Amino acid sequence: MPVVRRVAFLALAWVSFGLGVVGAFLPLLPTTCFMLLAAWAASKGSPRFAAWIHEHPRFGPAVVAWEGERAIPRHAKWLASAMLAVSMLVLALTVSLWWLKLSLIAGLCLVGAWILSRPEPVVIR
């Protein structure tokens, strides 16, 4: 692989990892999707960094569960559902256009249904 491409994947991996870490502390910024992106990009740019993400005690289990089983841990499902419910409440109270409000809430309901329909991991480290 050309060096420029490898460096670009590695940069994307580090930026995604950093955003994922920030997302662990800020409720509006997702963590898992950034960690999944970081693991994918790291696998292209630095297998050692990808292995480190997979072995990370905080972020690794969710990444491994998704990559291996397309599964979401129960606690993540509950947290995502709670955040979606809060978002729907905020939309219901703040958006004045009824069609936009209903469309956004319906979209969030579909996202929530999809998240809840994912299996839970068989083995959690």
Side-chain angles (χ1 to χ4, degrees):
M1 173 181 302
V3 174
V4 173
R5 189 171 177 183
R6 188 175 160 274
V7 169
F9 278 122
L10 192 54
L12 177 61
W14 276 107
V15 168
S16 300
F17 184 81
L19 288 171
V21 169
V22 171
F25 300 100
L26 294 177
L28 296 177
L29 192 64
T31 299
T32 305
C33 61
F34 283 120
M35 288 302 162
L36 291 171
L37 179 59
W40 173 80
S43 72
K44 306 285 187 195
S46 172
R48 194 174 93 184
F49 184 34
W52 182 81
I53 293 171
H54 284 95
E55 294 297 321
H56 193 279
R58 169 106 168 110
F59 307 117
V63 171
V64 170
W66 181 256
E67 289 180 346
E69 307 171 51
R70 294 296 189 247
I72 301 174
R74 181 176 292 160
H75 68 88
K77 288 182 181 186
W78 284 107
L79 181 59
S81 298
M83 291 294 108
L84 287 169
V86 168
S87 298
M88 287 183 232
L89 179 63
V90 169
L91 286 170
L93 298 174
T94 60
V95 176
S96 59
L97 297 172
W98 66 269
W99 61 269
L100 180 59
K101 180 187 308 194
L102 291 178
S103 298
L104 292 170
I105 290 173
L108 291 178
C109 285
L110 290 173
V111 169
W114 182 83
I115 288 171
L116 293 174
S117 72
R118 299 300 92 205
E120 292 179 14
V122 174
V123 177
I124 299 177
R125 299 190 267 150

